[in-house]
Amino acid sequence: MNTIKILIVEDEIIVAEDIKENLEELGYTITAIADSGEQAIRETEITKPDLVLMDVRLKGKMDGIQASEIIWDKFKVPIVYLTANSDISTIQRAKDTEPFGYITKPFRERELHAAIEIALHRNKLERKLKEREQWLETILTSLGDAVIATDNKSCITLLNPVAEALTGWKQADAFGKNAAEIFNIVHAQTRNEVDSPIAKALQTGIVVGLPEDTILLSKDKLEIPIDDSAAPIFNEEGDIRGAVIVFRDISDRKRAEEVLRESEQRLAWQASHDSLTGLANRHEFEQCLESALISTQQQGQIHSLCYLDLDRFKIVNDTCGHAAGDELLRQVAALLPAQVRNTDIVARLGGDEFAILLNNCPTKQALRIADTLRQKLEEFRFVWQDKIFTIGVSVGLVGINADTTDLANLLNAADAACYAAKNTGRNRVHIYQADDRDLAIAYGQMQWISKLQQALENNSFCLYCQPIIAVGADDFDLQHYEILLRLRDETGNIVPPMAFIPAAERYGLMHLIDQWVIRTLFTYLGQHYQNMGENSGYIYAVNLSGASINDDRFMEFLQQQFALHQIPPQAICFEITETVAITNLNNASKLIRELKNLGCSFALDDFGSGMSSFAYLKSLPIDYLKIDGNFVKEIVDVPTDLALTEAINQIGHVMGLKTIAEFVENDAILQKITELGIDYAQGYGIAEPYPFVLTADT
């Protein structure tokens, strides 16, 4: 235990020595004896006592009361007065200095001891209280939340700096005013005044919160969205002595919520609409058809489906390029809805194919509408630069009634009717009937089935490849190629994949084509690795269809191919499109995990063209995220495409994925994706696809 140090200030030396002797016997340490106020101040500064025993009357110009006032103000050392003078004026002067004790001479030893201990204890308590007040003040000052305190009559007693900033009131000006005047709140939508949570807390004795969408109206007429809670303050007896309200500015949160809400709305719109035309996409249209089928069964309604395939679209696309083709599709998409009712659904199914669901519309009426559409498109002129094009449309019309069995049959019937319209001269409407099925088979299914089966048997397919170069990634030494499929026709000409892939998907041949690609590629690679040795600096990206994703035997086939050709799994990166992944999410996730366990990597292709939801990425353990080229090719000129590309890249990186930009068609696009920090680039601006020939560099 530390010894208490005491300074004695007494001008009578005998009295001072007597006090000293008594105090030392009690265990105190006497730092010095002073006989004047000036000396008392000096000794206090030098010896730093814990307490000063101060005689009121002293030698010199300064009496004890004056000296005590200086000592307390300057050093905060507690004072106990010792005096024989007890007149009222002296006592009043001494009281004004807020002493910690007052002993009248003559006094007894135990009185002095008690006065000293009480003074020391009181000083200790007051120091703790002061520290606590300073601690509380520091907390209130440094808090990020605003704090307002009131008494039990709702009058302001405290505003911390944040509360001052938000309300526009200084504490000095607000002190004593009613809280309702300082804390003025209204509802954001109704503008009605909101009941004071402080008043409620004082009335009810419970914690009270604000309703949502509450706005604080500051003294400066600013409107600040806030949330808060008010709580009553009780004394030891349980009586309410006041209230405290804690609130915060949630402007940033509100802005973030609005951005998120807009983003969700945009993503929801993108999930159900075609990004090029703004019409409903295939997924949304099929859901509408499902609802129409249900209504025919449950309510006996009759609808009609028009399946439209533009005539001579390929001429525009081939003559003027994809930009012209896209613009033509946009103009057609703007024309179609104007010819139907608001209750009808117009969709782009893909490529130059459109569909219209005519709700509550029997076939006879639907035929008139379909023929009007045909005439409008026949009269339509598409102008691109110095060229004018005429187009037309072949329309397949199918009635939807209680006899319509399911969605797949309905779409097949519409497709067959459209094919019949196109096959019999184009620019016409063909109504589907049951006996049209033979025609559809003769001119459609059987032709493609025969051609594709022959191609598989005769190895008429061939492999192309296209480099994928590192832009912002660290692995510049890695040589990355996407393996592409082409078909060689009877004359030796190369048929692009979109000419036969839709048919292969439609007629159930895609899993066989996938197997042909893998078997052929692995055969080449197996020979290559035997000659060159295993080289981990190569990655070959192989596309997989939904049919392979859903094929229970595909994994077994793949393992056999790896074992047969001794291909290092790390050299193979499989790709599936976003649409395939979403449509077959569980199977896709399962297959990806199995392939990664083998050592392969995985890429999600055309991201942004389908549902565009980042949520499902969590369930797909992919390595690469390929940004849809329809965004990338316009990022130099279209701010929204730039923003979407940047967002996809950032999310991909946050999830630990490498990003690949497709359709990098020129140096300007390459520079822009480099600035965005995208890892890889692929497109005609990097290299056009070329026949896959294994060399030391491939």
Side-chain angles (χ1 to χ4, degrees), residues 501-513:
I501 291 295
E505 290 176 336
R506 184 176 302 172
Y507 307 125
L509 295 175
M510 269 314 300
H511 69 293
L512 298 176
I513 294 177

Side-chain angles (χ1 to χ4, degrees), residues 201-223:
L202 290 172
Q203 293 169 2
T204 63
I206 60 175
V207 176
V208 179
L210 273 181
E212 289 187 12
D213 297 326
T214 296
I215 286 179
L216 171 67
L217 303 179
S218 75
K219 185 180 181 182
D220 303 322
K221 307 303 181 185
L222 298 177
E223 297 188 359

Side-chain angles (χ1 to χ4, degrees), residues 382-453:
F382 176 64
V383 180
W384 183 260
Q385 296 174 349
D386 58 343
K387 298 180 177 65
I388 301 176
F389 297 90
T390 60
I391 62 170
V393 64
S394 298
V395 183
L397 177 60
V398 183
I400 306 173
N401 52 45
D403 296 328
T404 307
T405 56
D406 56 45
L407 179 63
N409 287 332
L410 174 61
L411 290 172
N412 287 337
D415 189 13
C418 182
Y419 176 84
K422 191 172 286 289
N423 189 62
T424 53
R426 300 174 182 264
N427 192 36
R428 63 192 61 209
V429 179
H430 188 94
I431 302 175
Y432 176 83
Q433 296 177 359
D435 55 6
D436 283 343
R437 184 173 300 277
D438 293 337
L439 181 64
I441 292 174
Y443 290 96
Q445 295 180 6
M446 291 305 297
Q447 287 186 359
W448 273 117
I449 290 174
S450 176
K451 289 180 181 180
L452 294 176
Q453 286 178 340

